[in-house]
Amino acid sequence: MMQNKYPQKPGLDFILKQAFFYWNKTLIFQLMFSMVFFGILLTSLFFFGSRYGILEQNQVLAEALKDGAKAYMEKIAELSATENYQMFTLAIWMTSAFLYPLNLGMFQIFRKLDLNEKIVLGDLFAGYNGINFFKYLGYYLFWFFIYRFTVPTVLLAILWVAMTIFVAPLMFFTDKRIFEAISLNFKAFKMYFVEIMVCIMVAVLFKYLGFTLFLVGGLFTFPFWNAMIYSLYKTVFSEKS
């Protein structure tokens, strides 16, 4: 149930402080998350890149770039149209979908932190337990399918992220179905529009800041997004009522 008594609505500073608290308290798990995520993603990129001959195309693209931006874009369009490139893209998309439940593991860790329960490394893989894994996999494929069409507009992509920001925790903690969770998310979005939009901007900035300032730091900041979602989720939804 949503907390809809406006005077009790916690401020943005509270939500942000809470997110940084969760992140700071679980730094070792943030690092483990990034190591597993990038370890599998990079292995997949190199394996499928090599298998479908994409890595060899980098040299071709580098040569095209020397002839100017137009030649480079033409070469990219030509490469994107090949069956090999489409198979490579599909493989990476499926790898991303396989990695998605790691995010739910972070929610499990934050919840255990709230309950003062002992956190173990296995909690990071809570999203892979049983049949629920396929539920999260299906949701990510559905979510990404729409996201990739909204990306060129930027604004629609941000709106799609905002309108689905609570879907994963709602599915994970309250066992809601995808469209039921999106409906609840939409109601929350209308009520907490400013908070959600500001938190998305802060989370994205902080998430990638670690890579720009100091490369290794990115391994700690990359999963921060989950702490922000959990902090927002806890503020907007109270499962007791």
Side-chain angles (χ1 to χ4, degrees):
M1 183 74 184
M2 231 173 291
Q3 299 167 344
N4 50 14
K5 295 188 179 71
Y6 194 86
Q8 295 178 349
K9 196 162 134 178
L12 250 174
D13 58 336
F14 172 79
I15 298 168
L16 294 170
K17 276 181 196 162
Q18 189 174 240
F20 280 101
F21 167 79
Y22 286 121
W23 174 74
N24 191 36
K25 282 281 185 186
T26 56
L27 280 177
I28 187 70
F29 293 100
Q30 309 287 333
L31 181 62
M32 293 305 295
F33 176 102
S34 292
M35 285 170 72
V36 172
F37 184 91
F38 288 111
I40 293 173
L41 185 64
L42 290 172
T43 302
S44 180
L45 278 167
F46 283 110
F47 174 77
F48 291 109
S50 171
R51 182 172 176 181
Y52 293 113
I54 303 302
L55 298 179
E56 299 147 29
Q57 296 295 331
N58 285 339
Q59 188 59 40
V60 178
L61 289 173
E63 290 298 321
L65 191 56
K66 288 176 189 170
D67 298 329
K70 189 169 181 285
Y72 180 71
M73 294 311 289
E74 282 171 2
K75 191 50 86 176
I76 282 188
E78 189 186 309
L79 176 62
S80 303
T82 63
E83 189 185 343
N84 271 8
Y85 183 82
Q86 283 160 10
M87 290 304 290
F88 169 74
T89 306
L90 184 65
I92 299 308
W93 189 13
M94 291 308 293
T95 303
S96 302
F98 172 76
L99 289 167
Y100 179 72
L102 276 176
N103 297 291
L104 300 154
M106 290 310 302
F107 297 149
Q108 166 100 327
I109 287 166
F110 301 141
R111 173 57 57 90
K112 278 193 156 187
L113 194 63
D114 282 342
L115 298 171
N116 284 321
E117 291 179 8
K118 184 174 164 53
I119 301 168
V120 294
L121 186 59
D123 290 325
L124 189 57
F125 304 101
Y128 293 91
N129 291 344
I131 200 83
N132 280 343
F133 165 70
F134 297 100
K135 195 168 72 171
Y136 305 134
L137 189 78
Y139 165 64
Y140 177 82
L141 291 171
F142 160 74
W143 181 88
F144 189 79
F145 183 74
I146 293 174
Y147 178 74
R148 65 190 287 242
F149 288 111
T150 62
V151 161
T153 65
V154 181
L155 182 63
L156 283 177
I158 294 168
L159 282 174
W160 177 238
V161 168
M163 283 165 55
T164 54
I165 199 166
F166 299 123
V167 173
L170 281 167
M171 286 170 71
F172 186 62
F173 292 124
T174 65
D175 210 25
K176 293 277 186 276
R177 293 179 183 276
I178 292 173
F179 293 105
E180 190 185 355
I182 289 175
S183 165
L184 285 168
N185 197 142
F186 185 65
K187 287 176 191 167
F189 178 57
K190 286 191 290 185
M191 261 179 67
Y192 289 82
F193 177 80
V194 175
E195 289 87 344
I196 289 171
M197 295 311 277
V198 171
C199 286
I200 285 174
M201 285 187 275
V202 172
V204 170
L205 279 173
F206 189 73
K207 178 175 180 170
Y208 295 108
L209 196 64
F211 288 112
T212 53
L213 293 181
F214 30 83
L215 201 59
V216 179
L219 295 176
F220 291 99
T221 60
F222 180 73
F224 174 72
W225 175 251
N226 294 305
M228 187 66 89
I229 293 175
Y230 184 74
S231 178
L232 263 170
Y233 172 76
K234 252 187 77 176
T235 305
V236 176
F237 292 93
S238 116
E239 292 158 33
K240 296 180 186 69
S241 49

